[in-house]
Amino acid sequence: MESRSAGKVTDDEVLRLAREVADRLMESAGEAEGKADLADGAPGIALALRYAAEVFGDDRYFKAGRLQLRRTAEASAAAPLRAPGLYLGTAGVVWAVTEYARVEPRYLPTLATMTDQLARQTLAIKLDTAAGSVASHDYDVIGGAAGWLAALSKAAGVLGGRATDAVREATDRLVDYLVELSRDDGGKLRWFCAPSHFPSIPGPDGQPTPLPGYVKNFPDGVYNLGFAHGPPGILAALCRPDAAHAVGGAAGSAGQEARSRRVRQGVRDLARMLESLRIDGLDHPAWANLLLPHPDTGRPDTDAEQVPARSAWCYGPPGIAASLLPASAACGDPEPTDLAVATLLGLERTPADDQRLNSPTLCHGLAGLVTIYGRAAAQTGLPDLRRMHDEFLSRMCSYADPDHPYLFPDYDPWGRQEHNAGLLTGAAGVLLALLGTVSDAAAEWDEVLFLTPRPPSGYGPGGSGAAPNRDRGAGET
């Protein structure tokens, strides 16, 4: 619940709040310090403190972030990361170390070792592409191939010649896999999740058993539409500029050109597919969380009754728009970015009950919208997107309460407060969203949220040239 009315917030106020959150994270990150995952562990804290150091010009934050990286190493030594996921495994640690290696070369040897480890983890995993044999965690942003690809590509860009053959092989394989999932053969779509591949928990006998809610509500399988666990994440990963080029291929080779064509077609197909799965009959673009398979064809049943998803990064129109924003540049068609802009503008016409915004945090709250609209406004130059960004920023800042451990609490769907320091549902994500609003350089952190590098200001449809550089140092607070 918002703690006070949301009025216009100044850059000075944003910087004050950001410093207070960074100071609290530097003092203690609570349970997050014992976790090695990017979602709510030490790597996410390290990422936030690294950008706080850049914005404030304060080496104390950088040193505190390095301490979080050491705690990540300790946590992963105690409980080795056996899964490669971006937010739940090795790829997240690689991402955080990559961000430090960009500004501190001493991390390059560690990064090279860890990136090779990540590549070998992904190469050891069987990647099925037949409809009915694919689980969302095989390909998604949170734990699957979309996140692995983004982390490997980002690290390879920093490592240059230090990247191993395994890194190049894994990157190529993941691009081909995600492109294959985008193909439509006329039957069930390849990213359809059958009951046999539902998320699972340990059963009474200790063996994995599908989540009961999935089995009850989706007995015939399901199509997931969220950015976090659905095809928008595949689209975002394939929109990376490096995805269209074979990392190990020779420049200008026939094989590289063929791959580029396949990637462009995959982006085009996924963007058109997402457009076709919109909920009909609304005056603004919206999507459901999930779609059932049609009983006759097995394809997504868009004629069945649908409930609009919440307005968030993880699920709903803002996250889907974030995946569509870079698609026009990746495939050469203007329609995806046009749809993204219409979707973001349409949020003002979305009833509050459908928006379901009750938290300041990143995954399902206002920090995610601040970041999405900040990137969209910078890319398009559209004043309405900048205005909406500023409104979401004011609403997010209104949650600040000095009585909360990290200044900004998270709220569950029932309005209960939760206090954590993590990235996706905690203070680290809010800190990064704050920093990105006052510094173009700090705004580059959002690549971890959208998988694509931040485009230059004013780039893309509607762009009106570069926006003024808003970078401000600590002495300007």
Side-chain angles (χ1 to χ4, degrees):
M1 321 302 280
E2 290 167 276
S3 58
R4 57 181 169 84
S5 60
K8 179 69 174 176
V9 63
T10 66
D11 283 0
D12 286 347
E13 174 73 357
V14 169
L15 286 165
R16 183 189 69 77
L17 292 172
R19 185 180 283 280
E20 186 167 351
V21 176
D23 287 345
R24 295 186 184 208
L25 289 176
M26 186 169 64
E27 181 178 339
S28 173
E31 296 180 357
E33 295 180 348
K35 301 177 181 178
D37 60 276
L38 183 65
D40 63 356
I45 313 301
L47 184 66
L49 290 171
R50 172 249 191 271
Y51 278 101
E54 181 165 327
V55 170
F56 292 111
D58 191 334
D59 194 52
R60 294 180 306 131
Y61 296 129
F62 195 82
K63 290 179 179 178
R66 290 174 56 190
L67 175 60
Q68 292 298 331
L69 289 185
R70 287 200 293 274
R71 287 175 174 157
T72 299
E74 293 166 0
S76 60
L81 296 170
R82 306 200 183 280
L86 177 59
Y87 284 96
L88 301 175
T90 308
V93 181
V94 167
W95 194 285
V97 174
T98 301
E99 287 282 19
Y100 276 77
R102 288 175 57 201
V103 295
E104 180 52 76
R106 76 177 71 181
Y107 283 101
L108 287 171
T110 299
L111 179 61
T113 299
M114 294 197 64
T115 306
D116 184 72
Q117 175 188 341
L118 172 61
R120 295 181 186 281
Q121 275 186 314
T122 66
L123 288 170
I125 295 173
K126 181 182 179 182
L127 298 174
D128 289 316
T129 58
S133 64
V134 179
S136 61
H137 59 260
D138 292 336
Y139 65 77
D140 70 9
V141 169
I142 300 297
W148 313 341
L149 173 61
L152 285 169
S153 299
K154 183 179 179 68
V158 172
L159 289 170
R162 292 174 181 254
T164 64
D165 289 343
V167 173
R168 290 184 281 272
E169 181 183 353
T171 304
D172 290 354
R173 178 174 180 246
L174 292 173
V175 171
D176 291 341
Y177 169 66
L178 294 178
V179 169
E180 192 69 15
L181 288 184
S182 72
R183 289 180 52 196
D184 184 353
D185 300 321
K188 288 181 179 177
L189 299 177
R190 293 175 181 240
W191 45 276
F192 167 73
C193 186
S196 57
H197 288 77
F198 282 164
S200 62
I201 56 175
D205 59 355
Q207 296 301 308
T209 182
L211 289 174
Y214 271 73
V215 176
K216 176 182 177 181
N217 295 318
F218 317 118
D220 299 316
V222 71
Y223 289 95
N224 194 313
L225 296 183
F227 187 103
H229 296 295
I234 301 176
L235 176 60
L238 291 178
C239 285
R240 291 186 62 89
D242 43 33
H245 303 284
V247 176
S253 69
Q256 186 182 73
E257 179 55 34
R259 170 169 301 201
S260 295
R261 287 196 300 271
R262 290 198 302 273
V263 170
R264 288 194 297 271
Q265 189 60 49
V267 169
R268 190 175 294 113
D269 291 344
L270 284 169
R272 290 173 178 171
M273 179 273 300
L274 285 172
E275 199 281 335
S276 73
L277 298 181
R278 289 169 47 183
I279 298 175
D280 289 332
L282 301 177
D283 66 349
H284 55 277
W287 288 261
N289 283 329
L290 307 160
L291 285 174
L292 299 176
H294 190 280
D296 296 328
T297 66
R299 295 177 68 80
D301 188 359
T302 56
D303 293 328
E305 182 179 357
Q306 299 178 59
V307 176
R310 69 191 306 166
S311 299
W313 168 79
C314 52
Y315 280 91
I320 291 175
S323 75
L324 291 165
L325 269 174
S328 290
C331 72
D333 291 341
E335 289 86 355
T337 301
D338 290 344
L339 177 57
V341 170
T343 299
L344 295 174
L345 294 175
L347 196 60
E348 290 192 307
R349 301 191 301 279
T350 302
D353 288 347
D354 288 345
Q355 291 184 21
R356 300 199 290 282
L357 289 169
N358 72 328
S359 180
T361 49
L362 199 61
C363 181
H364 51 263
L366 288 159
L369 297 192
V370 167
T371 308
I372 290 170
Y373 280 80
R375 177 179 276 223
Q379 177 174 332
T380 65
L382 292 174
D384 280 342
L385 293 178
R386 175 56 61 189
R387 173 183 54 79
M388 294 177 72
H389 163 272
D390 293 346
E391 291 170 357
F392 288 127
L393 173 63
S394 295
R395 289 177 62 183
M396 181 184 77
C397 291
S398 75
Y399 280 85
D401 188 331
D403 292 334
H404 296 305
Y406 301 110
L407 195 64
F408 289 94
D410 187 33
Y411 290 85
D412 68 17
W414 299 273
R416 295 182 298 231
Q417 288 186 4
E418 300 176 352
H419 305 288
N420 68 78
L423 178 67
L424 282 186
T425 58
V430 178
L431 172 56
L432 286 166
L434 289 167
L435 296 171
T437 68
V438 294
S439 167
D440 288 347
E444 293 179 1
W445 77 267
D446 71 7
E447 184 180 350
V448 74
L449 205 62
F450 309 125
L451 307 187
T452 51
R454 190 178 179 90
S457 295
Y459 171 84
S464 56
N469 190 305
R470 305 183 69 204
D471 288 9
R472 301 184 62 182
E476 299 176 81
T477 62

